[in-house]
Amino acid sequence: MKKIALATLIAVSLSASALEVGINGVESTAGANRYGAGVTVGQKMGDIGVTAGVSRLVREANDQTRLSLVADKQVFAAGPIGVTGRVGVAYLDNKTGNDGLAATLGVGVSMPVTKQLSVGVSVDHQYGQNRVSQFNGNIVTAGVKVGF
């Protein structure tokens, strides 16, 4: 009986999930503004999602590669537009200076364009370790995701 229940649970969770791949533009308002681009891969399970991303931010001699892992949950929907609460962690790999971790907390808005294509914008506030606290500030991301 336990095996049947487990198999049913796995089948339901796989059928209710969707893989998403996205590209985005990024602006960091921490200190001097940095701009960049990134790619994401995410998994949606109903109104909860997990997304891993990598972005490259450019600012004169101190470029930054930002690796992130974000969980989100839809908290409001108005027609096709969904609003999500977001929490995550990012590793900041700086060309010059110290590298370190940062926690993120924010909100996102997304809207489907077609059945597989959606557009979205998110604003996350980044709280870094002391050695990367100069990068504390808002991260604004806008992009397109394709679902499979």
Side-chain angles (χ1 to χ4, degrees):
M1 184 67 175
K2 289 181 184 178
K3 290 181 183 179
I4 293 172
L6 182 59
T8 303
L9 182 61
I10 291 171
V12 169
S13 67
L14 290 176
S15 65
S17 64
L19 179 69
E20 296 179 328
V21 177
I23 57 171
N24 55 48
V26 184
E27 177 185 8
S28 171
T29 63
N33 289 5
R34 295 167 187 253
Y35 302 95
V39 295
T40 61
V41 176
Q43 183 75 27
K44 283 285 190 192
M45 296 150 287
D47 61 351
I48 296 174
V50 176
T51 303
V54 60
S55 21
R56 182 77 173 158
L57 299 164
V58 180
R59 177 69 182 175
E60 298 168 1
N62 190 12
D63 295 348
Q64 182 182 81
T65 300
R66 187 172 185 276
L67 306 170
S68 62
L69 183 63
V70 177
D72 63 66
K73 180 172 182 356
Q74 185 169 323
V75 294
F76 179 75
I81 299 171
V83 178
T84 58
R86 300 164 45 90
V87 61
V89 63
Y91 179 74
L92 310 177
D93 181 12
N94 297 299
K95 185 175 179 182
T96 61
N98 294 323
D99 302 338
L101 293 172
T104 61
L105 182 64
V107 64
V109 177
S110 64
M111 182 180 82
V113 177
T114 67
K115 189 174 179 179
Q116 282 84 23
L117 184 70
S118 65
V119 295
V121 175
S122 66
V123 178
D124 297 294
H125 192 78
Q126 181 169 279
Y127 305 90
Q129 293 175 301
N130 286 340
R131 63 180 181 231
V132 291
S133 63
Q134 70 270 26
F135 302 112
N136 289 355
N138 294 325
I139 305 291
V140 180
T141 306
V144 177
K145 288 185 179 180
V146 177
F148 298 96

